[in-house]
PDB file of all heavy atoms in Angstrom:
ATOM      1  N   SER A   1      21.671 -14.606  -9.263  1.00 97.00           N
ATOM      2  CA  SER A   1      20.354 -15.098  -9.371  1.00 97.00           C
ATOM      3  C   SER A   1      19.704 -14.913  -8.028  1.00 97.00           C
ATOM      4  O   SER A   1      20.364 -14.578  -7.100  1.00 97.00           O
ATOM      5  CB  SER A   1      20.268 -16.606  -9.822  1.00 97.00           C
ATOM      6  OG  SER A   1      20.897 -17.383  -8.770  1.00 97.00           O
ATOM      7  N   PHE A   2      18.313 -15.053  -8.007  1.00 97.00           N
ATOM      8  CA  PHE A   2      17.564 -14.921  -6.812  1.00 97.00           C
ATOM      9  C   PHE A   2      16.220 -15.625  -6.880  1.00 97.00           C
ATOM     10  O   PHE A   2      15.714 -15.956  -7.970  1.00 97.00           O
ATOM     11  CB  PHE A   2      17.391 -13.410  -6.422  1.00 97.00           C
ATOM     12  CG  PHE A   2      16.633 -12.563  -7.483  1.00 97.00           C
ATOM     13  CD1 PHE A   2      15.231 -12.563  -7.503  1.00 97.00           C
ATOM     14  CD2 PHE A   2      17.369 -12.080  -8.522  1.00 97.00           C
ATOM     15  CE1 PHE A   2      14.540 -11.888  -8.457  1.00 97.00           C
ATOM     16  CE2 PHE A   2      16.620 -11.383  -9.489  1.00 97.00           C
ATOM     17  CZ  PHE A   2      15.354 -11.322  -9.542  1.00 97.00           C
ATOM     18  N   THR A   3      15.718 -15.932  -5.778  1.00 97.00           N
ATOM     19  CA  THR A   3      14.388 -16.642  -5.670  1.00 97.00           C
ATOM     20  C   THR A   3      13.254 -15.526  -5.547  1.00 97.00           C
ATOM     21  O   THR A   3      13.600 -14.475  -5.046  1.00 97.00           O
ATOM     22  CB  THR A   3      14.332 -17.468  -4.518  1.00 97.00           C
ATOM     23  OG1 THR A   3      14.410 -16.762  -3.277  1.00 97.00           O
ATOM     24  CG2 THR A   3      15.328 -18.635  -4.519  1.00 97.00           C
ATOM     25  N   PRO A   4      12.156 -15.803  -6.105  1.00 94.00           N
ATOM     26  CA  PRO A   4      11.071 -14.764  -5.993  1.00 94.00           C
ATOM     27  C   PRO A   4      10.607 -14.646  -4.548  1.00 94.00           C
ATOM     28  O   PRO A   4      10.747 -15.607  -3.758  1.00 94.00           O
ATOM     29  CB  PRO A   4       9.969 -15.376  -6.931  1.00 94.00           C
ATOM     30  CG  PRO A   4      10.254 -16.793  -7.020  1.00 94.00           C
ATOM     31  CD  PRO A   4      11.781 -16.963  -6.923  1.00 94.00           C
ATOM     32  N   ALA A   5      10.049 -13.503  -4.254  1.00 91.00           N
ATOM     33  CA  ALA A   5       9.382 -13.340  -2.859  1.00 91.00           C
ATOM     34  C   ALA A   5       8.273 -12.432  -3.091  1.00 91.00           C
ATOM     35  O   ALA A   5       8.121 -11.809  -4.176  1.00 91.00           O
ATOM     36  CB  ALA A   5      10.512 -12.698  -1.947  1.00 91.00           C
ATOM     37  N   LYS A   6       7.490 -12.315  -2.063  1.00 87.00           N
ATOM     38  CA  LYS A   6       6.142 -11.569  -2.169  1.00 87.00           C
ATOM     39  C   LYS A   6       6.515 -10.118  -1.808  1.00 87.00           C
ATOM     40  O   LYS A   6       7.269  -9.767  -0.883  1.00 87.00           O
ATOM     41  CB  LYS A   6       5.196 -12.060  -1.225  1.00 87.00           C
ATOM     42  CG  LYS A   6       4.600 -13.450  -1.555  1.00 87.00           C
ATOM     43  CD  LYS A   6       3.580 -13.895  -0.665  1.00 87.00           C
ATOM     44  CE  LYS A   6       3.099 -15.235  -0.936  1.00 87.00           C
ATOM     45  NZ  LYS A   6       2.001 -15.623   0.055  1.00 87.00           N
ATOM     46  N   ASP A   7       5.766  -9.097  -2.485  1.00 82.00           N
ATOM     47  CA  ASP A   7       5.653  -7.790  -2.070  1.00 82.00           C
ATOM     48  C   ASP A   7       4.816  -7.775  -0.914  1.00 82.00           C
ATOM     49  O   ASP A   7       3.917  -8.686  -0.669  1.00 82.00           O
ATOM     50  CB  ASP A   7       5.158  -6.917  -3.119  1.00 82.00           C
ATOM     51  CG  ASP A   7       6.200  -6.479  -4.109  1.00 82.00           C
ATOM     52  OD1 ASP A   7       7.299  -6.034  -3.674  1.00 82.00           O
ATOM     53  OD2 ASP A   7       6.018  -6.550  -5.344  1.00 82.00           O
ATOM     54  N   SER A   8       4.838  -6.715  -0.033  1.00 76.00           N
ATOM     55  CA  SER A   8       4.016  -6.615   1.121  1.00 76.00           C
ATOM     56  C   SER A   8       2.445  -6.597   0.765  1.00 76.00           C
ATOM     57  O   SER A   8       1.672  -7.239   1.539  1.00 76.00           O
ATOM     58  CB  SER A   8       4.287  -5.324   1.887  1.00 76.00           C
ATOM     59  OG  SER A   8       4.059  -4.165   1.103  1.00 76.00           O
ATOM     60  N   TRP A   9       2.098  -5.996  -0.409  1.00 78.00           N
ATOM     61  CA  TRP A   9       0.744  -5.969  -0.691  1.00 78.00           C
ATOM     62  C   TRP A   9       0.247  -7.444  -1.178  1.00 78.00           C
ATOM     63  O   TRP A   9      -0.967  -7.632  -1.242  1.00 78.00           O
ATOM     64  CB  TRP A   9       0.440  -5.027  -1.870  1.00 78.00           C
ATOM     65  CG  TRP A   9       1.343  -5.114  -3.069  1.00 78.00           C
ATOM     66  CD1 TRP A   9       2.477  -4.578  -3.447  1.00 78.00           C
ATOM     67  CD2 TRP A   9       1.010  -6.118  -4.282  1.00 78.00           C
ATOM     68  NE1 TRP A   9       2.961  -5.037  -4.642  1.00 78.00           N
ATOM     69  CE2 TRP A   9       2.065  -5.855  -5.135  1.00 78.00           C
ATOM     70  CE3 TRP A   9      -0.166  -6.825  -4.523  1.00 78.00           C
ATOM     71  CZ2 TRP A   9       1.985  -6.481  -6.366  1.00 78.00           C
ATOM     72  CZ3 TRP A   9      -0.066  -7.524  -5.793  1.00 78.00           C
ATOM     73  CH2 TRP A   9       0.880  -7.424  -6.704  1.00 78.00           C
ATOM     74  N   GLU A  10       1.214  -8.403  -1.507  1.00 84.00           N
ATOM     75  CA  GLU A  10       0.735  -9.646  -1.858  1.00 84.00           C
ATOM     76  C   GLU A  10       0.679 -10.620  -0.588  1.00 84.00           C
ATOM     77  O   GLU A  10       0.202 -11.748  -0.710  1.00 84.00           O
ATOM     78  CB  GLU A  10       1.870 -10.288  -2.838  1.00 84.00           C
ATOM     79  CG  GLU A  10       1.953  -9.592  -4.094  1.00 84.00           C
ATOM     80  CD  GLU A  10       3.109 -10.154  -4.927  1.00 84.00           C
ATOM     81  OE1 GLU A  10       4.277 -10.041  -4.504  1.00 84.00           O
ATOM     82  OE2 GLU A  10       2.710 -10.624  -6.113  1.00 84.00           O
ATOM     83  N   MET A  11       1.137 -10.132   0.537  1.00 84.00           N
ATOM     84  CA  MET A  11       1.178 -10.968   1.766  1.00 84.00           C
ATOM     85  C   MET A  11      -0.199 -10.914   2.399  1.00 84.00           C
ATOM     86  O   MET A  11      -0.937  -9.976   2.271  1.00 84.00           O
ATOM     87  CB  MET A  11       2.229 -10.400   2.783  1.00 84.00           C
ATOM     88  CG  MET A  11       3.525 -10.550   2.234  1.00 84.00           C
ATOM     89  SD  MET A  11       4.716 -10.027   3.560  1.00 84.00           S
ATOM     90  CE  MET A  11       6.344 -10.048   2.647  1.00 84.00           C
ATOM     91  N   SER A  12      -0.502 -11.997   3.097  1.00 84.00           N
ATOM     92  CA  SER A  12      -1.801 -12.048   3.848  1.00 84.00           C
ATOM     93  C   SER A  12      -1.585 -11.230   5.134  1.00 84.00           C
ATOM     94  O   SER A  12      -0.426 -10.877   5.412  1.00 84.00           O
ATOM     95  CB  SER A  12      -2.132 -13.462   4.187  1.00 84.00           C
ATOM     96  OG  SER A  12      -1.174 -14.071   5.179  1.00 84.00           O
ATOM     97  N   ALA A  13      -2.628 -10.870   5.784  1.00 82.00           N
ATOM     98  CA  ALA A  13      -2.490 -10.108   7.007  1.00 82.00           C
ATOM     99  C   ALA A  13      -1.596 -10.790   8.016  1.00 82.00           C
ATOM    100  O   ALA A  13      -0.845 -10.220   8.830  1.00 82.00           O
ATOM    101  CB  ALA A  13      -3.920  -9.774   7.633  1.00 82.00           C
ATOM    102  N   SER A  14      -1.847 -12.168   8.178  1.00 84.00           N
ATOM    103  CA  SER A  14      -1.034 -12.880   9.089  1.00 84.00           C
ATOM    104  C   SER A  14       0.517 -12.890   8.857  1.00 84.00           C
ATOM    105  O   SER A  14       1.359 -12.915   9.707  1.00 84.00           O
ATOM    106  CB  SER A  14      -1.565 -14.325   9.326  1.00 84.00           C
ATOM    107  OG  SER A  14      -1.443 -15.088   8.123  1.00 84.00           O
ATOM    108  N   GLU A  15       0.701 -13.000   7.490  1.00 86.00           N
ATOM    109  CA  GLU A  15       2.175 -12.987   7.078  1.00 86.00           C
ATOM    110  C   GLU A  15       2.872 -11.680   7.510  1.00 86.00           C
ATOM    111  O   GLU A  15       3.984 -11.572   7.978  1.00 86.00           O
ATOM    112  CB  GLU A  15       2.302 -13.196   5.574  1.00 86.00           C
ATOM    113  CG  GLU A  15       1.975 -14.640   5.184  1.00 86.00           C
ATOM    114  CD  GLU A  15       1.975 -14.832   3.623  1.00 86.00           C
ATOM    115  OE1 GLU A  15       1.414 -13.927   2.918  1.00 86.00           O
ATOM    116  OE2 GLU A  15       2.542 -15.829   3.171  1.00 86.00           O
ATOM    117  N   LYS A  16       2.147 -10.527   7.217  1.00 86.00           N
ATOM    118  CA  LYS A  16       2.723  -9.211   7.591  1.00 86.00           C
ATOM    119  C   LYS A  16       2.948  -9.135   8.985  1.00 86.00           C
ATOM    120  O   LYS A  16       3.878  -8.623   9.418  1.00 86.00           O
ATOM    121  CB  LYS A  16       1.793  -8.150   7.016  1.00 86.00           C
ATOM    122  CG  LYS A  16       1.578  -8.075   5.548  1.00 86.00           C
ATOM    123  CD  LYS A  16       0.575  -6.964   5.256  1.00 86.00           C
ATOM    124  CE  LYS A  16       0.257  -7.017   3.647  1.00 86.00           C
ATOM    125  NZ  LYS A  16      -0.862  -6.049   3.339  1.00 86.00           N
ATOM    126  N   TRP A  17       1.935  -9.552   9.861  1.00 90.00           N
ATOM    127  CA  TRP A  17       2.001  -9.393  11.243  1.00 90.00           C
ATOM    128  C   TRP A  17       3.118 -10.311  11.729  1.00 90.00           C
ATOM    129  O   TRP A  17       3.817  -9.862  12.713  1.00 90.00           O
ATOM    130  CB  TRP A  17       0.696  -9.802  11.929  1.00 90.00           C
ATOM    131  CG  TRP A  17       0.586  -9.546  13.387  1.00 90.00           C
ATOM    132  CD1 TRP A  17       0.490 -10.497  14.350  1.00 90.00           C
ATOM    133  CD2 TRP A  17       0.660  -8.300  13.939  1.00 90.00           C
ATOM    134  NE1 TRP A  17       0.603  -9.820  15.561  1.00 90.00           N
ATOM    135  CE2 TRP A  17       0.706  -8.522  15.423  1.00 90.00           C
ATOM    136  CE3 TRP A  17       0.851  -6.971  13.472  1.00 90.00           C
ATOM    137  CZ2 TRP A  17       0.737  -7.467  16.366  1.00 90.00           C
ATOM    138  CZ3 TRP A  17       0.916  -5.954  14.397  1.00 90.00           C
ATOM    139  CH2 TRP A  17       0.844  -6.216  15.826  1.00 90.00           C
ATOM    140  N   ASN A  18       3.301 -11.546  11.220  1.00 89.00           N
ATOM    141  CA  ASN A  18       4.450 -12.275  11.681  1.00 89.00           C
ATOM    142  C   ASN A  18       5.766 -11.734  11.377  1.00 89.00           C
ATOM    143  O   ASN A  18       6.690 -11.887  12.239  1.00 89.00           O
ATOM    144  CB  ASN A  18       4.363 -13.704  10.938  1.00 89.00           C
ATOM    145  CG  ASN A  18       3.210 -14.540  11.421  1.00 89.00           C
ATOM    146  OD1 ASN A  18       2.751 -14.417  12.642  1.00 89.00           O
ATOM    147  ND2 ASN A  18       2.800 -15.517  10.710  1.00 89.00           N
ATOM    148  N   LEU A  19       5.928 -10.971  10.345  1.00 89.00           N
ATOM    149  CA  LEU A  19       7.149 -10.286  10.017  1.00 89.00           C
ATOM    150  C   LEU A  19       7.395  -9.157  11.026  1.00 89.00           C
ATOM    151  O   LEU A  19       8.573  -8.929  11.438  1.00 89.00           O
ATOM    152  CB  LEU A  19       7.100  -9.684   8.621  1.00 89.00           C
ATOM    153  CG  LEU A  19       7.534 -10.476   7.438  1.00 89.00           C
ATOM    154  CD1 LEU A  19       7.365  -9.800   6.110  1.00 89.00           C
ATOM    155  CD2 LEU A  19       9.073 -10.974   7.691  1.00 89.00           C
ATOM    156  N   VAL A  20       6.341  -8.538  11.418  1.00 92.00           N
ATOM    157  CA  VAL A  20       6.517  -7.485  12.434  1.00 92.00           C
ATOM    158  C   VAL A  20       7.008  -8.091  13.741  1.00 92.00           C
ATOM    159  O   VAL A  20       7.942  -7.451  14.272  1.00 92.00           O
ATOM    160  CB  VAL A  20       5.064  -6.689  12.676  1.00 92.00           C
ATOM    161  CG1 VAL A  20       5.130  -5.857  13.890  1.00 92.00           C
ATOM    162  CG2 VAL A  20       4.652  -5.931  11.451  1.00 92.00           C
ATOM    163  N   ILE A  21       6.402  -9.142  14.234  1.00 93.00           N
ATOM    164  CA  ILE A  21       6.753  -9.782  15.422  1.00 93.00           C
ATOM    165  C   ILE A  21       8.255 -10.284  15.395  1.00 93.00           C
ATOM    166  O   ILE A  21       8.916 -10.114  16.319  1.00 93.00           O
ATOM    167  CB  ILE A  21       5.739 -10.874  15.831  1.00 93.00           C
ATOM    168  CG1 ILE A  21       4.349 -10.210  16.036  1.00 93.00           C
ATOM    169  CG2 ILE A  21       6.221 -11.513  17.108  1.00 93.00           C
ATOM    170  CD1 ILE A  21       4.254  -9.138  17.099  1.00 93.00           C
ATOM    171  N   ARG A  22       8.527 -10.864  14.205  1.00 92.00           N
ATOM    172  CA  ARG A  22       9.838 -11.303  14.091  1.00 92.00           C
ATOM    173  C   ARG A  22      10.965 -10.274  14.152  1.00 92.00           C
ATOM    174  O   ARG A  22      11.956 -10.511  14.924  1.00 92.00           O
ATOM    175  CB  ARG A  22      10.073 -12.152  12.721  1.00 92.00           C
ATOM    176  CG  ARG A  22       9.649 -13.556  12.644  1.00 92.00           C
ATOM    177  CD  ARG A  22       9.679 -14.170  11.281  1.00 92.00           C
ATOM    178  NE  ARG A  22      10.879 -13.773  10.576  1.00 92.00           N
ATOM    179  CZ  ARG A  22      10.935 -13.930   9.144  1.00 92.00           C
ATOM    180  NH1 ARG A  22       9.950 -14.338   8.526  1.00 92.00           N
ATOM    181  NH2 ARG A  22      12.028 -13.616   8.562  1.00 92.00           N
ATOM    182  N   ASN A  23      10.679  -9.301  13.537  1.00 94.00           N
ATOM    183  CA  ASN A  23      11.658  -8.076  13.706  1.00 94.00           C
ATOM    184  C   ASN A  23      11.681  -7.587  15.044  1.00 94.00           C
ATOM    185  O   ASN A  23      12.771  -7.079  15.552  1.00 94.00           O
ATOM    186  CB  ASN A  23      11.316  -7.058  12.624  1.00 94.00           C
ATOM    187  CG  ASN A  23      11.867  -7.402  11.275  1.00 94.00           C
ATOM    188  OD1 ASN A  23      13.049  -7.213  10.909  1.00 94.00           O
ATOM    189  ND2 ASN A  23      11.039  -7.937  10.370  1.00 94.00           N
ATOM    190  N   LYS A  24      10.513  -7.402  15.724  1.00 96.00           N
ATOM    191  CA  LYS A  24      10.527  -6.905  17.104  1.00 96.00           C
ATOM    192  C   LYS A  24      11.321  -7.760  18.035  1.00 96.00           C
ATOM    193  O   LYS A  24      12.091  -7.315  18.819  1.00 96.00           O
ATOM    194  CB  LYS A  24       9.066  -6.799  17.561  1.00 96.00           C
ATOM    195  CG  LYS A  24       8.880  -6.277  18.962  1.00 96.00           C
ATOM    196  CD  LYS A  24       7.411  -6.142  19.323  1.00 96.00           C
ATOM    197  CE  LYS A  24       7.239  -5.669  20.685  1.00 96.00           C
ATOM    198  NZ  LYS A  24       7.515  -6.544  21.756  1.00 96.00           N
ATOM    199  N   GLU A  25      11.120  -9.070  17.932  1.00 96.00           N
ATOM    200  CA  GLU A  25      11.787 -10.119  18.787  1.00 96.00           C
ATOM    201  C   GLU A  25      13.295 -10.143  18.446  1.00 96.00           C
ATOM    202  O   GLU A  25      14.113 -10.086  19.391  1.00 96.00           O
ATOM    203  CB  GLU A  25      11.181 -11.406  18.530  1.00 96.00           C
ATOM    204  CG  GLU A  25       9.815 -11.600  19.036  1.00 96.00           C
ATOM    205  CD  GLU A  25       9.141 -12.879  18.879  1.00 96.00           C
ATOM    206  OE1 GLU A  25       9.773 -13.720  18.016  1.00 96.00           O
ATOM    207  OE2 GLU A  25       8.061 -13.221  19.395  1.00 96.00           O
ATOM    208  N   ARG A  26      13.698  -9.881  17.197  1.00 95.00           N
ATOM    209  CA  ARG A  26      15.056  -9.926  16.803  1.00 95.00           C
ATOM    210  C   ARG A  26      15.667  -8.609  17.403  1.00 95.00           C
ATOM    211  O   ARG A  26      16.775  -8.570  17.891  1.00 95.00           O
ATOM    212  CB  ARG A  26      15.212  -9.971  15.276  1.00 95.00           C
ATOM    213  CG  ARG A  26      16.713  -9.873  14.776  1.00 95.00           C
ATOM    214  CD  ARG A  26      17.527 -10.957  15.303  1.00 95.00           C
ATOM    215  NE  ARG A  26      18.841 -11.068  14.867  1.00 95.00           N
ATOM    216  CZ  ARG A  26      19.915 -11.558  15.544  1.00 95.00           C
ATOM    217  NH1 ARG A  26      19.676 -12.204  16.625  1.00 95.00           N
ATOM    218  NH2 ARG A  26      21.143 -11.401  14.940  1.00 95.00           N
ATOM    219  N   GLY A  27      14.972  -7.518  17.266  1.00 96.00           N
ATOM    220  CA  GLY A  27      15.504  -6.289  17.935  1.00 96.00           C
ATOM    221  C   GLY A  27      15.785  -6.492  19.378  1.00 96.00           C
ATOM    222  O   GLY A  27      16.795  -5.948  19.939  1.00 96.00           O
ATOM    223  N   GLY A  28      14.903  -7.088  20.081  1.00 97.00           N
ATOM    224  CA  GLY A  28      15.166  -7.397  21.509  1.00 97.00           C
ATOM    225  C   GLY A  28      16.386  -8.188  21.785  1.00 97.00           C
ATOM    226  O   GLY A  28      17.168  -7.840  22.706  1.00 97.00           O
ATOM    227  N   GLU A  29      16.607  -9.191  20.988  1.00 96.00           N
ATOM    228  CA  GLU A  29      17.822  -9.996  21.113  1.00 96.00           C
ATOM    229  C   GLU A  29      18.997  -9.194  20.905  1.00 96.00           C
ATOM    230  O   GLU A  29      20.044  -9.370  21.652  1.00 96.00           O
ATOM    231  CB  GLU A  29      17.706 -11.135  20.029  1.00 96.00           C
ATOM    232  CG  GLU A  29      16.603 -12.220  20.423  1.00 96.00           C
ATOM    233  CD  GLU A  29      16.482 -13.143  19.200  1.00 96.00           C
ATOM    234  OE1 GLU A  29      17.179 -13.044  18.205  1.00 96.00           O
ATOM    235  OE2 GLU A  29      15.494 -14.033  19.270  1.00 96.00           O
ATOM    236  N   LEU A  30      18.993  -8.390  19.818  1.00 95.00           N
ATOM    237  CA  LEU A  30      20.225  -7.597  19.503  1.00 95.00           C
ATOM    238  C   LEU A  30      20.452  -6.551  20.566  1.00 95.00           C
ATOM    239  O   LEU A  30      21.650  -6.353  21.051  1.00 95.00           O
ATOM    240  CB  LEU A  30      19.964  -6.906  18.193  1.00 95.00           C
ATOM    241  CG  LEU A  30      19.979  -7.852  17.007  1.00 95.00           C
ATOM    242  CD1 LEU A  30      19.409  -7.165  15.755  1.00 95.00           C
ATOM    243  CD2 LEU A  30      21.427  -8.379  16.752  1.00 95.00           C
ATOM    244  N   TYR A  31      19.421  -6.043  21.184  1.00 97.00           N
ATOM    245  CA  TYR A  31      19.519  -4.971  22.248  1.00 97.00           C
ATOM    246  C   TYR A  31      20.178  -5.620  23.474  1.00 97.00           C
ATOM    247  O   TYR A  31      21.177  -5.030  24.087  1.00 97.00           O
ATOM    248  CB  TYR A  31      18.229  -4.354  22.631  1.00 97.00           C
ATOM    249  CG  TYR A  31      18.313  -3.166  23.569  1.00 97.00           C
ATOM    250  CD1 TYR A  31      18.458  -1.961  23.082  1.00 97.00           C
ATOM    251  CD2 TYR A  31      18.239  -3.420  25.050  1.00 97.00           C
ATOM    252  CE1 TYR A  31      18.572  -0.813  24.005  1.00 97.00           C
ATOM    253  CE2 TYR A  31      18.320  -2.338  25.815  1.00 97.00           C
ATOM    254  CZ  TYR A  31      18.479  -1.054  25.310  1.00 97.00           C
ATOM    255  OH  TYR A  31      18.668  -0.024  26.206  1.00 97.00           O
ATOM    256  N   ARG A  32      19.727  -6.814  23.763  1.00 96.00           N
ATOM    257  CA  ARG A  32      20.285  -7.578  25.013  1.00 96.00           C
ATOM    258  C   ARG A  32      21.717  -7.911  24.824  1.00 96.00           C
ATOM    259  O   ARG A  32      22.524  -8.073  25.736  1.00 96.00           O
ATOM    260  CB  ARG A  32      19.369  -8.763  25.349  1.00 96.00           C
ATOM    261  CG  ARG A  32      18.060  -8.325  25.951  1.00 96.00           C
ATOM    262  CD  ARG A  32      17.295  -9.572  26.416  1.00 96.00           C
ATOM    263  NE  ARG A  32      16.923 -10.442  25.391  1.00 96.00           N
ATOM    264  CZ  ARG A  32      15.706 -10.280  24.686  1.00 96.00           C
ATOM    265  NH1 ARG A  32      14.945  -9.206  24.926  1.00 96.00           N
ATOM    266  NH2 ARG A  32      15.344 -11.150  23.746  1.00 96.00           N
ATOM    267  N   ALA A  33      22.036  -8.141  23.504  1.00 95.00           N
ATOM    268  CA  ALA A  33      23.495  -8.451  23.086  1.00 95.00           C
ATOM    269  C   ALA A  33      24.375  -7.324  23.039  1.00 95.00           C
ATOM    270  O   ALA A  33      25.498  -7.460  22.857  1.00 95.00           O
ATOM    271  CB  ALA A  33      23.506  -9.288  21.872  1.00 95.00           C
ATOM    272  N   GLY A  34      23.815  -6.160  23.157  1.00 95.00           N
ATOM    273  CA  GLY A  34      24.657  -4.924  23.075  1.00 95.00           C
ATOM    274  C   GLY A  34      24.841  -4.323  21.701  1.00 95.00           C
ATOM    275  O   GLY A  34      25.605  -3.306  21.626  1.00 95.00           O
ATOM    276  N   ASP A  35      24.113  -4.844  20.735  1.00 93.00           N
ATOM    277  CA  ASP A  35      24.188  -4.327  19.400  1.00 93.00           C
ATOM    278  C   ASP A  35      23.134  -3.389  19.220  1.00 93.00           C
ATOM    279  O   ASP A  35      22.103  -3.723  18.546  1.00 93.00           O
ATOM    280  CB  ASP A  35      24.145  -5.464  18.313  1.00 93.00           C
ATOM    281  CG  ASP A  35      24.650  -5.135  16.981  1.00 93.00           C
ATOM    282  OD1 ASP A  35      24.733  -3.806  16.716  1.00 93.00           O
ATOM    283  OD2 ASP A  35      24.960  -5.951  16.167  1.00 93.00           O
ATOM    284  N   ILE A  36      23.356  -2.162  19.694  1.00 95.00           N
ATOM    285  CA  ILE A  36      22.211  -1.170  19.741  1.00 95.00           C
ATOM    286  C   ILE A  36      21.730  -0.581  18.308  1.00 95.00           C
ATOM    287  O   ILE A  36      20.683  -0.524  18.006  1.00 95.00           O
ATOM    288  CB  ILE A  36      22.528   0.018  20.642  1.00 95.00           C
ATOM    289  CG1 ILE A  36      23.100  -0.600  21.965  1.00 95.00           C
ATOM    290  CG2 ILE A  36      21.460   0.845  20.861  1.00 95.00           C
ATOM    291  CD1 ILE A  36      22.143  -1.437  22.710  1.00 95.00           C
ATOM    292  N   GLY A  37      22.745  -0.368  17.506  1.00 92.00           N
ATOM    293  CA  GLY A  37      22.443   0.057  16.174  1.00 92.00           C
ATOM    294  C   GLY A  37      21.681  -0.858  15.386  1.00 92.00           C
ATOM    295  O   GLY A  37      20.622  -0.542  14.703  1.00 92.00           O
TER     296      GLY A  37
END
């Protein structure tokens, strides 16, 4: 089973932007930890 989630076109502009920043910040954490891939 799974819970419903929004498609990108259903998200507000702020929700999309928050996802961008979250992934960017997570990328920085992983890079500093040496997990380059």
Side-chain angles (χ1 to χ4, degrees):
S1 62
F2 58 89
T3 61
K6 292 181 179 179
D7 279 312
S8 60
W9 57 268
E10 297 175 300
M11 295 181 185
S12 67
S14 62
E15 286 175 319
K16 294 174 188 176
W17 188 246
N18 287 338
L19 274 178
V20 170
I21 299 304
R22 272 173 47 196
N23 279 280
K24 179 177 181 290
E25 291 175 348
R26 180 59 179 157
E29 293 170 1
L30 292 163
Y31 188 90
R32 289 188 291 274
D35 195 342
I36 308 304

